């Protein structure tokens, strides 16, 4: 049970303005003080995520960190997780798994590599493997911290530092790195010797599931290597913005067993 009032849209707007121009740690100190223990850091082990693990751990070594293990992550991600555990002793890192039953039904119906066939099936896979486990976890929180930045992709260009997350029950969503550039994040990681994902040194500029991520060519946008075969589709999995197409939702309801009766 929370011992404080959750904030509303007006306060979120005022706080966003107040924290604009401030260092990420300033927002993190405020947020951890206000929401702990019902706050957690979400990471996909990209460069922003490891920078935030370092910042949060310095402020509070008991910070809760979570990530979704979709079942299709590259082996290098697990190597990084081991290194982070060594670097930050006692790090409270929870890996969330999708429902084995839902994955089994999806793969049984559409095959293991369904995502390459059409955008609708890719979005279905992202929903089952990533969005649903995350949504279940967020239901137990009052606030979550993300590594979103405005310069990552057009769909992220207007994010605020403090938002009300209407896609997840109206909890608070905090984006401390919103105004940082990719270069500033790398500067932080290098200056603080933070362990980072090995695939960055092999030409990757954004890292997700193994079959859906490839290195980018020089000059390509950072997220161009995600779902690279798709045209005119959002470079999003649905975790940070609800994606309703009307195309895969029926399939999803059937997989979840909601069509019965
Ligand atoms: Fe499935 Fe690819 Fe989405 Fe991972 S990124 S959940 S493998 S579609």
């Amino acid at each position: 049970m929370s011992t404080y009032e959750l904030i509303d849209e007006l306060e979120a707007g005022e706080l966003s303005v107040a924290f604009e121009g401030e260092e990420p740690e300033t927002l993190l100190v405020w947020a951890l003080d206000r929401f702990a223990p019902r706050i957690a850091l979400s990471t996909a082990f990209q460069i922003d995520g490891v920078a935030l693990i370092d910042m949060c751990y310095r402020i509070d070594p008991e910070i809760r960190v979570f990530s979704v293990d979709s079942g299709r992550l590259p082996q290098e991600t697990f190597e990084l997780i081991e290194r982070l555990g060594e670097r930050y002793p006692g790090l409270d890192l929870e890996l969330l798994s999708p429902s084995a039953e839902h994955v089994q039904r999806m793969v049984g119906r559409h095959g293991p590599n369904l995502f390459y066939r059409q955008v609708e099936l890719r979005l279905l896979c992202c929903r089952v493997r990533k969005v649903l486990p995350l949504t279940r976890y967020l239901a137990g929180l009052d606030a979550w911290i993300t590594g979103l930045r405005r310069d990552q992709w057009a769909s992220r260009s207007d994010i605020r530092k403090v938002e009300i997350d209407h896609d997840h029950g109206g909890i608070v969503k905090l984006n401390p790195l919103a105004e940082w550039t990719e270069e500033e994040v790398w500067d932080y990681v290098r200056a603080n010797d933070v362990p980072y994902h090995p695939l960055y040194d092999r030409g990757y500029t954004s890292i997700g599931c193994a079959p859906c991520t490839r290195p980018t060519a020089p000059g390509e946008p950072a997220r161009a290597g995600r779902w690279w075969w798709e045209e005119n589709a959002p470079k999003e999995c649905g975790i940070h913005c609800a994606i309703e197409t009307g195309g895969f939702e029926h399939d999803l309801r059937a997989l979840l067993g909601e069509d019965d009766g």
Side-chain angles (χ1 to χ4, degrees):
M1 171 93 59
S2 305
T3 55
Y4 46 78
E5 294 276 314
L6 280 179
I7 65 178
D8 59 20
E9 201 65 68
L10 180 65
E11 190 181 357
E14 289 172 350
L15 286 164
S16 285
V17 172
F19 284 113
E20 198 65 21
E22 298 285 344
E23 291 298 323
E25 291 93 335
T26 309
L27 174 57
L28 290 170
V29 167
W30 171 83
L32 292 174
D33 180 58
R34 175 137 180 185
F35 297 111
R38 290 176 60 86
I39 182 172
L41 166 63
S42 169
T43 178
F45 304 107
Q46 301 204 63
I47 201 64
D48 321 274
V50 293
L52 281 170
I53 288 175
D54 187 85
M55 289 178 192
C56 288
Y57 188 86
R58 286 168 192 267
I59 296 166
D60 179 2
E62 294 186 0
I63 175 72
R64 294 168 63 184
V65 183
F66 71 95
S67 188
V68 180
D69 176 1
S70 66
R72 302 297 300 259
L73 297 178
Q75 176 58 20
E76 288 85 352
T77 300
F78 298 102
E79 292 166 14
L80 173 60
I81 290 171
E82 303 252 294
R83 283 167 53 217
L84 289 166
E86 290 162 14
R87 172 62 190 273
Y88 305 104
L91 183 68
D92 180 4
L93 171 59
E94 196 171 345
L95 290 179
L96 316 179
S97 299
S99 155
E101 193 183 338
H102 295 163
V103 171
Q104 200 174 350
R105 281 190 208 154
M106 177 178 72
V107 171
R109 181 180 288 213
H110 297 294
N113 287 340
L114 67 166
F115 29 78
Y116 293 134
R117 294 212 303 277
Q118 51 174 271
V119 174
E120 303 296 344
L121 291 176
R122 193 274 284 178
L123 290 170
L124 176 71
C125 185
C126 283
R127 184 73 72 95
V128 167
R129 289 187 180 275
K130 291 174 161 181
V131 180
L132 291 179
L134 174 113
T135 302
R136 279 193 293 274
Y137 186 81
L138 292 184
L141 296 180
D142 289 338
W144 63 309
I145 304 163
T146 86
L148 295 184
R149 298 195 326 271
R150 291 174 191 143
D151 74 347
Q152 282 166 328
W153 199 253
S155 55
R156 301 181 176 185
S157 61
D158 60 352
I159 56 170
R160 296 182 309 178
K161 288 193 168 181
V162 182
E163 300 181 333
I164 305 298
D165 189 348
H166 296 291
D167 293 331
H168 297 110
I171 66 171
V172 179
K173 184 173 183 179
L174 301 148
N175 307 309
L177 303 180
E179 64 190 314
W180 271 21
T181 61
E182 184 182 358
E183 199 178 341
E184 286 176 292
V185 181
W186 274 105
D187 286 347
Y188 180 92
V189 164
R190 292 198 182 98
N192 293 284
D193 199 22
V194 179
Y196 64 87
H197 205 294
L199 290 181
Y200 282 114
D201 290 335
R202 290 185 233 157
Y204 288 73
T205 47
S206 178
I207 298 161
C209 293
C212 299
T213 314
R214 67 157 168 70
T216 47
E220 276 191 310
R223 284 179 74 80
R226 307 290 293 276
W227 310 291
W228 68 92
W229 63 92
E230 294 181 351
E231 289 176 11
N232 301 320
K235 298 268 184 216
E236 299 282 358
C237 62
I239 280 181
H240 293 296
C241 60
I243 302 174
E244 305 290 340
T245 68
F248 69 92
E249 285 79 3
H250 172 74
D251 233 346
L252 180 67
R253 283 196 300 277
L255 289 173
L256 302 184
E258 293 172 0
D259 272 3
D260 300 346

